Amino acid sequence: MMQERDFLYDEVEQTKTRFVCWIGETSRFDLAITHSEHFFGKILVLNLLSNRFAIIGPDDFDEPGYIAHAFDLEDEAAYELEGYLRDYIGL
């Protein structure tokens, strides 16, 4: 028997996903970066190695330690990832 659900939304959308992997100075990064209208211009970044993700936009880089916290990274690895994402977003 199907139970009733009160959905807040149920949408289907075409997205663009980029898969990128590199070995930095302190860590390996294996990311899936998804562009969707659902996130109002922000990107969904998934770290495929740690199963952590964050929805990131330009304003999130103004929050100290956001990338380190979101992806549970040490400072040096977070600095590398933040540098890549800044370049990717075009900051």
Side-chain angles (χ1 to χ4, degrees):
M1 171 154 91
M2 290 194 77
Q3 94 183 39
E4 279 192 43
R5 292 178 177 86
D6 292 327
F7 291 102
L8 297 177
Y9 54 84
D10 182 3
E11 302 171 358
V12 175
E13 177 185 345
Q14 291 282 60
T15 62
K16 180 177 93 173
T17 302
R18 178 178 183 174
F19 295 92
V20 61
C21 180
W22 81 93
I23 298 175
E25 294 294 319
T26 61
S27 297
R28 175 181 164 170
F29 299 92
D30 196 351
L31 307 175
I33 303 170
T34 299
H35 297 260
S36 166
E37 294 298 318
H38 187 79
F39 304 119
F40 306 103
K42 292 188 175 193
I43 57 175
L44 173 64
V45 180
L46 299 99
N47 183 335
L48 301 173
L49 296 174
S50 68
N51 295 321
R52 303 215 22 138
F53 68 92
I55 299 168
I56 299 174
D59 57 320
D60 295 308
F61 295 105
D62 296 334
E63 184 69 37
Y66 177 75
I67 299 297
H69 175 73
F71 293 99
D72 193 27
L73 297 171
E74 298 294 324
D75 289 342
E76 290 181 24
Y79 180 77
E80 285 185 86
L81 179 56
E82 183 174 331
Y84 172 79
L85 293 174
R86 282 179 179 273
D87 289 345
Y88 183 84
I89 290 174
L91 297 178

